[in-house]
């Protein structure tokens, strides 16, 4: 974004950064921008990762080994299947709805730093996919998507 464009738009910020409070490394990603007057960084509780409940901190291999019934449902891409004492992708997508509305109405570009599960939901929305398809969206790790 060039200075002439910003002058015409009379905006104080070049972009806005949104990040989840849940993991310190996400905050570290936006930290270089935090002290600049040109960037506005906001923390959104809505951007928290999918709540894995009893499966928190387990790998998919461990879930498959310890809970084969749950694994078979997850492997089939069950959109409404919640993790025990956790969330389903359906709950996550509904939780993100207010954020999606804010994102669409933002007058400046927005950098969003999130977990892969939240990124899948956001990208599926932006690609105009059905919410049920969000689990199949491939999100490369450590990548900036435009």
């Amino acid at each position: 974004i060039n200075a002439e464009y910003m002058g015409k738009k009379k905006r104080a910020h070049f972009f806005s950064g949104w990040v989840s409070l849940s993991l310190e490394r996400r905050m570290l990603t936006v930290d270089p921008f935090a002290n600049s007057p040109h960037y506005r960084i906001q923390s959104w509780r809505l951007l928290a990762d999918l709540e894995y409940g009893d499966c928190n901190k387990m790998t998919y291999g461990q879930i498959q080994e310890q809970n084969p019934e749950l694994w078979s449902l997850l492997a089939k891409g069950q959109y409404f299947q919640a993790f025990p004492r956790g969330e389903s992708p359906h709950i996550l997508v509904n939780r993100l709805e207010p954020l999606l509305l804010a994102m669409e109405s933002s007058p400046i570009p927005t950098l969003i730093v999130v977990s892969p599960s939240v990124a899948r939901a956001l990208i599926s929305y932006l690609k105009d996919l059905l919410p049920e398809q969000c689990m199949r969206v491939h999100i490369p790790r450590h990548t900036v998507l435009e």
Side-chain angles (χ1 to χ4, degrees):
I1 298 176
N2 63 38
E4 182 181 326
Y5 171 81
M6 292 309 293
K8 287 179 183 176
K9 294 293 184 180
K10 298 190 188 300
R11 300 282 182 240
H13 307 292
F14 292 122
F15 77 79
S16 177
W18 295 354
V19 65
S20 167
L21 292 170
S22 60
L23 286 178
E24 184 178 337
R25 65 180 171 261
R26 289 190 203 123
M27 294 299 286
L28 291 173
T29 301
V30 297
D31 191 52
F33 305 108
N35 295 322
S36 172
H38 301 294
Y39 310 109
R40 186 180 74 218
I41 306 301
Q42 295 176 289
S43 298
W44 286 71
R45 203 175 272 252
L46 296 173
L47 287 173
D49 196 5
L50 180 72
E51 177 54 55
Y52 293 96
D54 291 347
C55 298
N56 193 29
K57 299 189 182 200
M58 291 175 71
T59 65
Y60 285 133
Q62 290 170 323
I63 295 170
Q64 185 176 13
E65 183 181 300
Q66 295 175 24
N67 195 335
E69 291 176 25
L70 174 63
W71 177 255
S72 90
L73 291 171
L74 295 172
K76 291 178 187 172
Q78 296 293 326
Y79 177 67
F80 295 99
Q81 177 61 48
F83 285 88
R85 295 185 215 182
E87 291 180 310
S88 69
H90 172 72
I91 293 169
L92 171 67
V93 168
N94 286 332
R95 174 168 39 99
L96 292 173
E97 189 173 328
L99 179 116
L100 295 169
L101 296 173
M103 183 177 65
E104 284 188 330
S105 65
S106 177
I108 58 177
T110 304
L111 171 68
I112 304 173
V113 181
V114 293
S115 67
S117 62
V118 175
R120 280 186 203 92
L122 294 174
I123 295 298
S124 66
Y125 176 82
L126 293 170
K127 288 186 170 188
D128 204 23
L129 300 174
L130 293 172
E132 295 83 6
Q133 294 174 304
C134 74
M135 294 169 53
R136 300 201 188 323
V137 173
H138 174 68
I139 301 293
R141 295 187 65 82
H142 312 295
T143 302
V144 175
L145 301 172
E146 187 174 344

